[in-house]
PDB file of all heavy atoms in Angstrom:
ATOM      1  N   SER A 814     112.500 111.293  49.989  1.00 87.00           N
ATOM      2  CA  SER A 814     111.111 110.831  50.032  1.00 87.00           C
ATOM      3  C   SER A 814     110.166 111.916  49.537  1.00 87.00           C
ATOM      4  O   SER A 814     109.267 111.668  48.730  1.00 87.00           O
ATOM      5  CB  SER A 814     110.732 110.432  51.463  1.00 87.00           C
ATOM      6  OG  SER A 814     111.609 109.467  51.961  1.00 87.00           O
ATOM      7  N   PHE A 815     110.360 113.118  50.036  1.00 83.00           N
ATOM      8  CA  PHE A 815     109.521 114.262  49.671  1.00 83.00           C
ATOM      9  C   PHE A 815     109.600 114.516  48.168  1.00 83.00           C
ATOM     10  O   PHE A 815     108.591 114.742  47.504  1.00 83.00           O
ATOM     11  CB  PHE A 815     109.997 115.481  50.460  1.00 83.00           C
ATOM     12  CG  PHE A 815     109.156 116.716  50.285  1.00 83.00           C
ATOM     13  CD1 PHE A 815     108.039 116.936  51.079  1.00 83.00           C
ATOM     14  CD2 PHE A 815     109.491 117.660  49.337  1.00 83.00           C
ATOM     15  CE1 PHE A 815     107.271 118.080  50.925  1.00 83.00           C
ATOM     16  CE2 PHE A 815     108.731 118.800  49.173  1.00 83.00           C
ATOM     17  CZ  PHE A 815     107.615 119.018  49.971  1.00 83.00           C
ATOM     18  N   PHE A 816     110.816 114.473  47.628  1.00 82.00           N
ATOM     19  CA  PHE A 816     111.021 114.800  46.214  1.00 82.00           C
ATOM     20  C   PHE A 816     110.449 113.724  45.307  1.00 82.00           C
ATOM     21  O   PHE A 816     109.863 114.020  44.263  1.00 82.00           O
ATOM     22  CB  PHE A 816     112.516 114.992  45.948  1.00 82.00           C
ATOM     23  CG  PHE A 816     112.796 116.012  44.875  1.00 82.00           C
ATOM     24  CD1 PHE A 816     112.570 117.359  45.128  1.00 82.00           C
ATOM     25  CD2 PHE A 816     113.292 115.641  43.642  1.00 82.00           C
ATOM     26  CE1 PHE A 816     112.829 118.310  44.149  1.00 82.00           C
ATOM     27  CE2 PHE A 816     113.551 116.585  42.666  1.00 82.00           C
ATOM     28  CZ  PHE A 816     113.323 117.934  42.916  1.00 82.00           C
ATOM     29  N   THR A 817     110.599 112.456  45.701  1.00 82.00           N
ATOM     30  CA  THR A 817     110.054 111.363  44.891  1.00 82.00           C
ATOM     31  C   THR A 817     108.539 111.439  44.818  1.00 82.00           C
ATOM     32  O   THR A 817     107.941 111.159  43.777  1.00 82.00           O
ATOM     33  CB  THR A 817     110.484 110.002  45.463  1.00 82.00           C
ATOM     34  OG1 THR A 817     111.898 109.867  45.314  1.00 82.00           O
ATOM     35  CG2 THR A 817     109.809 108.844  44.734  1.00 82.00           C
ATOM     36  N   ALA A 818     107.905 111.824  45.921  1.00 81.00           N
ATOM     37  CA  ALA A 818     106.443 111.948  45.926  1.00 81.00           C
ATOM     38  C   ALA A 818     105.986 112.927  44.865  1.00 81.00           C
ATOM     39  O   ALA A 818     104.950 112.727  44.214  1.00 81.00           O
ATOM     40  CB  ALA A 818     105.965 112.396  47.303  1.00 81.00           C
ATOM     41  N   PHE A 819     106.751 113.988  44.636  1.00 74.00           N
ATOM     42  CA  PHE A 819     106.333 115.004  43.684  1.00 74.00           C
ATOM     43  C   PHE A 819     106.784 114.723  42.261  1.00 74.00           C
ATOM     44  O   PHE A 819     106.055 114.977  41.305  1.00 74.00           O
ATOM     45  CB  PHE A 819     106.834 116.381  44.120  1.00 74.00           C
ATOM     46  CG  PHE A 819     105.747 117.192  44.752  1.00 74.00           C
ATOM     47  CD1 PHE A 819     105.578 117.183  46.115  1.00 74.00           C
ATOM     48  CD2 PHE A 819     104.860 117.925  43.985  1.00 74.00           C
ATOM     49  CE1 PHE A 819     104.556 117.891  46.714  1.00 74.00           C
ATOM     50  CE2 PHE A 819     103.836 118.641  44.566  1.00 74.00           C
ATOM     51  CZ  PHE A 819     103.676 118.633  45.933  1.00 74.00           C
ATOM     52  N   THR A 820     107.988 114.193  42.093  1.00 68.00           N
ATOM     53  CA  THR A 820     108.475 113.973  40.727  1.00 68.00           C
ATOM     54  C   THR A 820     107.849 112.761  40.080  1.00 68.00           C
ATOM     55  O   THR A 820     107.851 112.630  38.861  1.00 68.00           O
ATOM     56  CB  THR A 820     110.010 113.808  40.712  1.00 68.00           C
ATOM     57  OG1 THR A 820     110.376 112.719  41.567  1.00 68.00           O
ATOM     58  CG2 THR A 820     110.693 115.068  41.198  1.00 68.00           C
ATOM     59  N   GLY A 821     107.278 111.856  40.898  1.00 60.00           N
ATOM     60  CA  GLY A 821     106.613 110.691  40.330  1.00 60.00           C
ATOM     61  C   GLY A 821     107.551 109.554  40.016  1.00 60.00           C
ATOM     62  O   GLY A 821     107.110 108.493  39.586  1.00 60.00           O
ATOM     63  N   GLY A 822     108.846 109.740  40.205  1.00 61.00           N
ATOM     64  CA  GLY A 822     109.786 108.661  39.915  1.00 61.00           C
ATOM     65  C   GLY A 822     111.022 108.761  40.778  1.00 61.00           C
ATOM     66  O   GLY A 822     111.628 109.834  40.898  1.00 61.00           O
ATOM     67  N   SER A 823     111.381 107.651  41.415  1.00 60.00           N
ATOM     68  CA  SER A 823     112.558 107.674  42.273  1.00 60.00           C
ATOM     69  C   SER A 823     113.834 107.854  41.459  1.00 60.00           C
ATOM     70  O   SER A 823     114.827 108.391  41.964  1.00 60.00           O
ATOM     71  CB  SER A 823     112.632 106.392  43.098  1.00 60.00           C
ATOM     72  OG  SER A 823     112.603 105.257  42.261  1.00 60.00           O
ATOM     73  N   GLY A 824     113.824 107.418  40.202  1.00 64.00           N
ATOM     74  CA  GLY A 824     114.987 107.625  39.350  1.00 64.00           C
ATOM     75  C   GLY A 824     115.250 109.100  39.120  1.00 64.00           C
ATOM     76  O   GLY A 824     116.412 109.543  39.102  1.00 64.00           O
ATOM     77  N   VAL A 825     114.187 109.878  38.956  1.00 68.00           N
ATOM     78  CA  VAL A 825     114.331 111.326  38.785  1.00 68.00           C
ATOM     79  C   VAL A 825     114.967 111.933  40.033  1.00 68.00           C
ATOM     80  O   VAL A 825     115.809 112.832  39.953  1.00 68.00           O
ATOM     81  CB  VAL A 825     112.955 111.980  38.510  1.00 68.00           C
ATOM     82  CG1 VAL A 825     113.086 113.497  38.425  1.00 68.00           C
ATOM     83  CG2 VAL A 825     112.351 111.432  37.225  1.00 68.00           C
ATOM     84  N   THR A 826     114.564 111.444  41.210  1.00 76.00           N
ATOM     85  CA  THR A 826     115.122 111.954  42.465  1.00 76.00           C
ATOM     86  C   THR A 826     116.620 111.689  42.549  1.00 76.00           C
ATOM     87  O   THR A 826     117.395 112.565  42.965  1.00 76.00           O
ATOM     88  CB  THR A 826     114.410 111.290  43.659  1.00 76.00           C
ATOM     89  OG1 THR A 826     113.024 111.606  43.601  1.00 76.00           O
ATOM     90  CG2 THR A 826     114.975 111.785  44.979  1.00 76.00           C
ATOM     91  N   ILE A 827     117.044 110.493  42.168  1.00 78.00           N
ATOM     92  CA  ILE A 827     118.474 110.168  42.202  1.00 78.00           C
ATOM     93  C   ILE A 827     119.256 111.099  41.287  1.00 78.00           C
ATOM     94  O   ILE A 827     120.308 111.626  41.651  1.00 78.00           O
ATOM     95  CB  ILE A 827     118.698 108.695  41.806  1.00 78.00           C
ATOM     96  CG1 ILE A 827     118.125 107.772  42.886  1.00 78.00           C
ATOM     97  CG2 ILE A 827     120.182 108.407  41.599  1.00 78.00           C
ATOM     98  CD1 ILE A 827     118.108 106.315  42.499  1.00 78.00           C
ATOM     99  N   LEU A 828     118.708 111.319  40.085  1.00 71.00           N
ATOM    100  CA  LEU A 828     119.398 112.188  39.119  1.00 71.00           C
ATOM    101  C   LEU A 828     119.394 113.641  39.581  1.00 71.00           C
ATOM    102  O   LEU A 828     120.370 114.370  39.377  1.00 71.00           O
ATOM    103  CB  LEU A 828     118.740 112.074  37.745  1.00 71.00           C
ATOM    104  CG  LEU A 828     118.788 110.681  37.096  1.00 71.00           C
ATOM    105  CD1 LEU A 828     118.048 110.682  35.767  1.00 71.00           C
ATOM    106  CD2 LEU A 828     120.225 110.223  36.897  1.00 71.00           C
ATOM    107  N   ALA A 829     118.281 114.085  40.204  1.00 70.00           N
ATOM    108  CA  ALA A 829     118.167 115.486  40.608  1.00 70.00           C
ATOM    109  C   ALA A 829     118.924 115.786  41.896  1.00 70.00           C
ATOM    110  O   ALA A 829     119.489 116.872  42.050  1.00 70.00           O
ATOM    111  CB  ALA A 829     116.691 115.864  40.773  1.00 70.00           C
ATOM    112  N   LEU A 830     118.937 114.819  42.836  1.00 75.00           N
ATOM    113  CA  LEU A 830     119.503 115.079  44.154  1.00 75.00           C
ATOM    114  C   LEU A 830     120.820 114.369  44.420  1.00 75.00           C
ATOM    115  O   LEU A 830     121.512 114.710  45.385  1.00 75.00           O
ATOM    116  CB  LEU A 830     118.500 114.670  45.241  1.00 75.00           C
ATOM    117  CG  LEU A 830     117.168 115.417  45.279  1.00 75.00           C
ATOM    118  CD1 LEU A 830     116.302 114.884  46.416  1.00 75.00           C
ATOM    119  CD2 LEU A 830     117.388 116.901  45.455  1.00 75.00           C
ATOM    120  N   GLY A 831     121.144 113.363  43.609  1.00 76.00           N
ATOM    121  CA  GLY A 831     122.349 112.582  43.876  1.00 76.00           C
ATOM    122  C   GLY A 831     123.601 113.434  43.948  1.00 76.00           C
ATOM    123  O   GLY A 831     124.418 113.307  44.876  1.00 76.00           O
ATOM    124  N   GLY A 832     123.763 114.347  42.981  1.00 75.00           N
ATOM    125  CA  GLY A 832     124.938 115.212  42.960  1.00 75.00           C
ATOM    126  C   GLY A 832     124.971 116.197  44.103  1.00 75.00           C
ATOM    127  O   GLY A 832     126.044 116.705  44.479  1.00 75.00           O
ATOM    128  N   LEU A 833     123.812 116.504  44.684  1.00 77.00           N
ATOM    129  CA  LEU A 833     123.728 117.421  45.812  1.00 77.00           C
ATOM    130  C   LEU A 833     123.970 116.715  47.140  1.00 77.00           C
ATOM    131  O   LEU A 833     124.701 117.207  48.011  1.00 77.00           O
ATOM    132  CB  LEU A 833     122.344 118.087  45.819  1.00 77.00           C
ATOM    133  CG  LEU A 833     121.955 118.910  47.054  1.00 77.00           C
ATOM    134  CD1 LEU A 833     122.753 120.205  47.082  1.00 77.00           C
ATOM    135  CD2 LEU A 833     120.461 119.197  47.058  1.00 77.00           C
ATOM    136  N   LEU A 834     123.348 115.525  47.310  1.00 83.00           N
ATOM    137  CA  LEU A 834     123.346 114.858  48.616  1.00 83.00           C
ATOM    138  C   LEU A 834     124.601 114.046  48.895  1.00 83.00           C
ATOM    139  O   LEU A 834     125.052 113.996  50.045  1.00 83.00           O
ATOM    140  CB  LEU A 834     122.113 113.958  48.735  1.00 83.00           C
ATOM    141  CG  LEU A 834     120.773 114.684  48.834  1.00 83.00           C
ATOM    142  CD1 LEU A 834     119.626 113.680  48.897  1.00 83.00           C
ATOM    143  CD2 LEU A 834     120.746 115.586  50.065  1.00 83.00           C
ATOM    144  N   LEU A 835     125.147 113.378  47.891  1.00 84.00           N
ATOM    145  CA  LEU A 835     126.321 112.533  48.166  1.00 84.00           C
ATOM    146  C   LEU A 835     127.491 113.342  48.727  1.00 84.00           C
ATOM    147  O   LEU A 835     128.121 112.912  49.705  1.00 84.00           O
ATOM    148  CB  LEU A 835     126.733 111.759  46.908  1.00 84.00           C
ATOM    149  CG  LEU A 835     127.856 110.730  47.142  1.00 84.00           C
ATOM    150  CD1 LEU A 835     127.425 109.696  48.179  1.00 84.00           C
ATOM    151  CD2 LEU A 835     128.229 110.041  45.832  1.00 84.00           C
ATOM    152  N   PRO A 836     127.816 114.526  48.171  1.00 85.00           N
ATOM    153  CA  PRO A 836     128.887 115.325  48.798  1.00 85.00           C
ATOM    154  C   PRO A 836     128.557 115.725  50.231  1.00 85.00           C
ATOM    155  O   PRO A 836     129.450 115.759  51.089  1.00 85.00           O
ATOM    156  CB  PRO A 836     128.968 116.562  47.886  1.00 85.00           C
ATOM    157  CG  PRO A 836     128.439 116.114  46.573  1.00 85.00           C
ATOM    158  CD  PRO A 836     127.359 115.129  46.907  1.00 85.00           C
ATOM    159  N   LEU A 837     127.277 116.041  50.514  1.00 82.00           N
ATOM    160  CA  LEU A 837     126.892 116.391  51.882  1.00 82.00           C
ATOM    161  C   LEU A 837     127.113 115.210  52.825  1.00 82.00           C
ATOM    162  O   LEU A 837     127.589 115.377  53.959  1.00 82.00           O
ATOM    163  CB  LEU A 837     125.424 116.817  51.934  1.00 82.00           C
ATOM    164  CG  LEU A 837     125.073 118.177  51.334  1.00 82.00           C
ATOM    165  CD1 LEU A 837     123.562 118.399  51.394  1.00 82.00           C
ATOM    166  CD2 LEU A 837     125.801 119.300  52.059  1.00 82.00           C
ATOM    167  N   LEU A 838     126.753 114.002  52.369  1.00 85.00           N
ATOM    168  CA  LEU A 838     126.888 112.807  53.208  1.00 85.00           C
ATOM    169  C   LEU A 838     128.360 112.463  53.449  1.00 85.00           C
ATOM    170  O   LEU A 838     128.759 112.127  54.565  1.00 85.00           O
ATOM    171  CB  LEU A 838     126.154 111.633  52.557  1.00 85.00           C
ATOM    172  CG  LEU A 838     124.624 111.728  52.569  1.00 85.00           C
ATOM    173  CD1 LEU A 838     124.012 110.720  51.612  1.00 85.00           C
ATOM    174  CD2 LEU A 838     124.090 111.498  53.984  1.00 85.00           C
ATOM    175  N   THR A 839     129.166 112.534  52.400  1.00 85.00           N
ATOM    176  CA  THR A 839     130.594 112.228  52.563  1.00 85.00           C
ATOM    177  C   THR A 839     131.270 113.288  53.432  1.00 85.00           C
ATOM    178  O   THR A 839     132.167 112.987  54.224  1.00 85.00           O
ATOM    179  CB  THR A 839     131.298 112.125  51.199  1.00 85.00           C
ATOM    180  OG1 THR A 839     131.037 113.317  50.438  1.00 85.00           O
ATOM    181  CG2 THR A 839     130.803 110.927  50.419  1.00 85.00           C
ATOM    182  N   LYS A 840     130.822 114.552  53.311  1.00 83.00           N
ATOM    183  CA  LYS A 840     131.381 115.629  54.130  1.00 83.00           C
ATOM    184  C   LYS A 840     131.034 115.419  55.600  1.00 83.00           C
ATOM    185  O   LYS A 840     131.792 115.775  56.499  1.00 83.00           O
ATOM    186  CB  LYS A 840     130.835 116.970  53.642  1.00 83.00           C
ATOM    187  CG  LYS A 840     131.606 118.183  54.144  1.00 83.00           C
ATOM    188  CD  LYS A 840     131.051 119.461  53.526  1.00 83.00           C
ATOM    189  CE  LYS A 840     131.330 119.495  52.043  1.00 83.00           C
ATOM    190  NZ  LYS A 840     130.859 120.754  51.425  1.00 83.00           N
ATOM    191  N   ALA A 841     129.852 114.817  55.838  1.00 80.00           N
ATOM    192  CA  ALA A 841     129.440 114.533  57.218  1.00 80.00           C
ATOM    193  C   ALA A 841     130.176 113.336  57.791  1.00 80.00           C
ATOM    194  O   ALA A 841     130.107 113.088  59.004  1.00 80.00           O
ATOM    195  CB  ALA A 841     127.933 114.280  57.259  1.00 80.00           C
ATOM    196  N   GLY A 842     130.862 112.564  56.938  1.00 82.00           N
ATOM    197  CA  GLY A 842     131.641 111.431  57.427  1.00 82.00           C
ATOM    198  C   GLY A 842     131.211 110.080  56.904  1.00 82.00           C
ATOM    199  O   GLY A 842     131.777 109.062  57.284  1.00 82.00           O
ATOM    200  N   PHE A 843     130.193 110.035  56.033  1.00 84.00           N
ATOM    201  CA  PHE A 843     129.746 108.754  55.479  1.00 84.00           C
ATOM    202  C   PHE A 843     130.758 108.243  54.453  1.00 84.00           C
ATOM    203  O   PHE A 843     131.199 109.001  53.585  1.00 84.00           O
ATOM    204  CB  PHE A 843     128.397 108.913  54.776  1.00 84.00           C
ATOM    205  CG  PHE A 843     127.214 108.883  55.699  1.00 84.00           C
ATOM    206  CD1 PHE A 843     126.846 110.001  56.427  1.00 84.00           C
ATOM    207  CD2 PHE A 843     126.461 107.726  55.842  1.00 84.00           C
ATOM    208  CE1 PHE A 843     125.766 109.978  57.277  1.00 84.00           C
ATOM    209  CE2 PHE A 843     125.364 107.688  56.688  1.00 84.00           C
ATOM    210  CZ  PHE A 843     125.020 108.823  57.417  1.00 84.00           C
ATOM    211  N   PRO A 844     131.118 106.960  54.505  1.00 87.00           N
ATOM    212  CA  PRO A 844     131.856 106.371  53.386  1.00 87.00           C
ATOM    213  C   PRO A 844     131.017 106.467  52.106  1.00 87.00           C
ATOM    214  O   PRO A 844     129.794 106.485  52.169  1.00 87.00           O
ATOM    215  CB  PRO A 844     132.051 104.904  53.804  1.00 87.00           C
ATOM    216  CG  PRO A 844     131.864 104.899  55.285  1.00 87.00           C
ATOM    217  CD  PRO A 844     130.882 105.983  55.580  1.00 87.00           C
ATOM    218  N   GLU A 845     131.686 106.533  50.978  1.00 87.00           N
ATOM    219  CA  GLU A 845     130.975 106.769  49.718  1.00 87.00           C
ATOM    220  C   GLU A 845     129.892 105.714  49.458  1.00 87.00           C
ATOM    221  O   GLU A 845     128.766 106.045  49.068  1.00 87.00           O
ATOM    222  CB  GLU A 845     131.972 106.783  48.553  1.00 87.00           C
ATOM    223  CG  GLU A 845     131.316 107.151  47.225  1.00 87.00           C
ATOM    224  CD  GLU A 845     132.294 107.128  46.070  1.00 87.00           C
ATOM    225  OE1 GLU A 845     133.052 106.124  45.955  1.00 87.00           O
ATOM    226  OE2 GLU A 845     132.312 108.084  45.287  1.00 87.00           O
ATOM    227  N   GLN A 846     130.225 104.421  49.688  1.00 88.00           N
ATOM    228  CA  GLN A 846     129.252 103.373  49.393  1.00 88.00           C
ATOM    229  C   GLN A 846     128.017 103.500  50.282  1.00 88.00           C
ATOM    230  O   GLN A 846     126.898 103.291  49.831  1.00 88.00           O
ATOM    231  CB  GLN A 846     129.875 101.990  49.564  1.00 88.00           C
ATOM    232  CG  GLN A 846     128.944 100.871  49.089  1.00 88.00           C
ATOM    233  CD  GLN A 846     129.621  99.514  49.127  1.00 88.00           C
ATOM    234  OE1 GLN A 846     130.535  99.272  49.912  1.00 88.00           O
ATOM    235  NE2 GLN A 846     129.182  98.596  48.273  1.00 88.00           N
ATOM    236  N   ARG A 847     128.233 103.897  51.534  1.00 88.00           N
ATOM    237  CA  ARG A 847     127.098 104.041  52.434  1.00 88.00           C
ATOM    238  C   ARG A 847     126.235 105.246  52.042  1.00 88.00           C
ATOM    239  O   ARG A 847     125.018 105.222  52.161  1.00 88.00           O
ATOM    240  CB  ARG A 847     127.618 104.203  53.866  1.00 88.00           C
ATOM    241  CG  ARG A 847     126.565 103.923  54.935  1.00 88.00           C
ATOM    242  CD  ARG A 847     127.246 103.722  56.258  1.00 88.00           C
ATOM    243  NE  ARG A 847     126.296 103.657  57.352  1.00 88.00           N
ATOM    244  CZ  ARG A 847     126.641 103.569  58.628  1.00 88.00           C
ATOM    245  NH1 ARG A 847     127.918 103.527  58.950  1.00 88.00           N
ATOM    246  NH2 ARG A 847     125.735 103.513  59.567  1.00 88.00           N
ATOM    247  N   GLY A 848     126.878 106.311  51.589  1.00 88.00           N
ATOM    248  CA  GLY A 848     126.134 107.476  51.118  1.00 88.00           C
ATOM    249  C   GLY A 848     125.307 107.157  49.889  1.00 88.00           C
ATOM    250  O   GLY A 848     124.139 107.552  49.776  1.00 88.00           O
ATOM    251  N   ILE A 849     125.905 106.426  48.935  1.00 89.00           N
ATOM    252  CA  ILE A 849     125.170 106.006  47.739  1.00 89.00           C
ATOM    253  C   ILE A 849     123.995 105.119  48.131  1.00 89.00           C
ATOM    254  O   ILE A 849     122.893 105.233  47.577  1.00 89.00           O
ATOM    255  CB  ILE A 849     126.119 105.273  46.765  1.00 89.00           C
ATOM    256  CG1 ILE A 849     127.118 106.269  46.164  1.00 89.00           C
ATOM    257  CG2 ILE A 849     125.338 104.574  45.661  1.00 89.00           C
ATOM    258  CD1 ILE A 849     128.203 105.630  45.328  1.00 89.00           C
ATOM    259  N   SER A 850     124.220 104.240  49.097  1.00 89.00           N
ATOM    260  CA  SER A 850     123.161 103.346  49.565  1.00 89.00           C
ATOM    261  C   SER A 850     121.978 104.142  50.112  1.00 89.00           C
ATOM    262  O   SER A 850     120.818 103.849  49.795  1.00 89.00           O
ATOM    263  CB  SER A 850     123.718 102.427  50.661  1.00 89.00           C
ATOM    264  OG  SER A 850     122.677 101.728  51.306  1.00 89.00           O
ATOM    265  N   LEU A 851     122.256 105.175  50.911  1.00 90.00           N
ATOM    266  CA  LEU A 851     121.170 105.947  51.516  1.00 90.00           C
ATOM    267  C   LEU A 851     120.386 106.723  50.464  1.00 90.00           C
ATOM    268  O   LEU A 851     119.150 106.710  50.471  1.00 90.00           O
ATOM    269  CB  LEU A 851     121.740 106.915  52.565  1.00 90.00           C
ATOM    270  CG  LEU A 851     120.719 107.809  53.268  1.00 90.00           C
ATOM    271  CD1 LEU A 851     119.629 106.969  53.942  1.00 90.00           C
ATOM    272  CD2 LEU A 851     121.396 108.717  54.286  1.00 90.00           C
ATOM    273  N   VAL A 852     121.073 107.389  49.554  1.00 89.00           N
ATOM    274  CA  VAL A 852     120.381 108.163  48.514  1.00 89.00           C
ATOM    275  C   VAL A 852     119.549 107.244  47.625  1.00 89.00           C
ATOM    276  O   VAL A 852     118.390 107.538  47.302  1.00 89.00           O
ATOM    277  CB  VAL A 852     121.396 108.957  47.665  1.00 89.00           C
ATOM    278  CG1 VAL A 852     120.699 109.640  46.493  1.00 89.00           C
ATOM    279  CG2 VAL A 852     122.112 109.990  48.512  1.00 89.00           C
ATOM    280  N   THR A 853     120.114 106.108  47.233  1.00 88.00           N
ATOM    281  CA  THR A 853     119.424 105.181  46.330  1.00 88.00           C
ATOM    282  C   THR A 853     118.184 104.593  46.988  1.00 88.00           C
ATOM    283  O   THR A 853     117.115 104.512  46.366  1.00 88.00           O
ATOM    284  CB  THR A 853     120.374 104.046  45.910  1.00 88.00           C
ATOM    285  OG1 THR A 853     121.561 104.604  45.349  1.00 88.00           O
ATOM    286  CG2 THR A 853     119.714 103.138  44.882  1.00 88.00           C
ATOM    287  N   SER A 854     118.305 104.190  48.242  1.00 90.00           N
ATOM    288  CA  SER A 854     117.178 103.541  48.920  1.00 90.00           C
ATOM    289  C   SER A 854     116.127 104.550  49.365  1.00 90.00           C
ATOM    290  O   SER A 854     114.920 104.300  49.227  1.00 90.00           O
ATOM    291  CB  SER A 854     117.679 102.730  50.117  1.00 90.00           C
ATOM    292  OG  SER A 854     118.468 103.524  50.979  1.00 90.00           O
ATOM    293  N   ALA A 855     116.540 105.697  49.886  1.00 88.00           N
ATOM    294  CA  ALA A 855     115.566 106.695  50.343  1.00 88.00           C
ATOM    295  C   ALA A 855     114.739 107.237  49.183  1.00 88.00           C
ATOM    296  O   ALA A 855     113.592 107.648  49.383  1.00 88.00           O
ATOM    297  CB  ALA A 855     116.289 107.836  51.051  1.00 88.00           C
ATOM    298  N   SER A 856     115.282 107.211  47.986  1.00 85.00           N
ATOM    299  CA  SER A 856     114.545 107.709  46.824  1.00 85.00           C
ATOM    300  C   SER A 856     113.350 106.828  46.473  1.00 85.00           C
ATOM    301  O   SER A 856     112.496 107.241  45.687  1.00 85.00           O
ATOM    302  CB  SER A 856     115.484 107.818  45.617  1.00 85.00           C
ATOM    303  OG  SER A 856     116.484 108.778  45.852  1.00 85.00           O
ATOM    304  N   ALA A 857     113.317 105.616  47.020  1.00 85.00           N
ATOM    305  CA  ALA A 857     112.179 104.729  46.756  1.00 85.00           C
ATOM    306  C   ALA A 857     111.025 104.966  47.727  1.00 85.00           C
ATOM    307  O   ALA A 857     109.920 104.476  47.502  1.00 85.00           O
ATOM    308  CB  ALA A 857     112.626 103.267  46.860  1.00 85.00           C
ATOM    309  N   LEU A 858     111.266 105.721  48.802  1.00 85.00           N
ATOM    310  CA  LEU A 858     110.290 105.797  49.882  1.00 85.00           C
ATOM    311  C   LEU A 858     109.130 106.757  49.616  1.00 85.00           C
ATOM    312  O   LEU A 858     108.128 106.713  50.302  1.00 85.00           O
ATOM    313  CB  LEU A 858     110.987 106.200  51.188  1.00 85.00           C
ATOM    314  CG  LEU A 858     111.983 105.178  51.745  1.00 85.00           C
ATOM    315  CD1 LEU A 858     112.657 105.716  52.991  1.00 85.00           C
ATOM    316  CD2 LEU A 858     111.287 103.861  52.052  1.00 85.00           C
ATOM    317  N   GLY A 859     109.270 107.640  48.643  1.00 84.00           N
ATOM    318  CA  GLY A 859     108.210 108.610  48.388  1.00 84.00           C
ATOM    319  C   GLY A 859     106.962 108.032  47.759  1.00 84.00           C
ATOM    320  O   GLY A 859     105.968 108.748  47.592  1.00 84.00           O
ATOM    321  N   VAL A 860     106.977 106.752  47.412  1.00 87.00           N
ATOM    322  CA  VAL A 860     105.818 106.120  46.771  1.00 87.00           C
ATOM    323  C   VAL A 860     104.566 106.230  47.639  1.00 87.00           C
ATOM    324  O   VAL A 860     103.449 106.342  47.137  1.00 87.00           O
ATOM    325  CB  VAL A 860     106.147 104.642  46.453  1.00 87.00           C
ATOM    326  CG1 VAL A 860     104.891 103.864  46.100  1.00 87.00           C
ATOM    327  CG2 VAL A 860     107.146 104.571  45.305  1.00 87.00           C
ATOM    328  N   LEU A 861     104.747 106.234  48.968  1.00 90.00           N
ATOM    329  CA  LEU A 861     103.596 106.271  49.869  1.00 90.00           C
ATOM    330  C   LEU A 861     103.109 107.686  50.176  1.00 90.00           C
ATOM    331  O   LEU A 861     102.095 107.855  50.847  1.00 90.00           O
ATOM    332  CB  LEU A 861     103.945 105.566  51.183  1.00 90.00           C
ATOM    333  CG  LEU A 861     104.052 104.045  51.117  1.00 90.00           C
ATOM    334  CD1 LEU A 861     104.639 103.498  52.411  1.00 90.00           C
ATOM    335  CD2 LEU A 861     102.699 103.416  50.855  1.00 90.00           C
TER     336      LEU A 861
END
């Protein structure tokens, strides 16, 4: 959310943070699809 607010685009956030966050989420125990779901959806929240 924080990153999308600054980059101006949620797509930029996915590209910039996706490779960083998905391994962290899977390492914490998230199934891959659920981790992708969280990164993809949370990247839309910075609009506000």
Side-chain angles (χ1 to χ4, degrees):
S814 304
F815 185 87
F816 212 71
T817 293
F819 258 94
T820 58
S823 55
V825 176
T826 299
I827 292 171
L828 298 177
L830 297 180
L833 170 72
L834 291 178
L835 186 60
L837 288 176
L838 289 166
T839 53
K840 196 176 292 183
F843 278 80
E845 185 182 48
Q846 187 174 27
R847 198 164 171 184
I849 290 173
S850 169
L851 179 57
V852 174
T853 305
S854 53
S856 295
L858 294 177
V860 166
L861 288 170

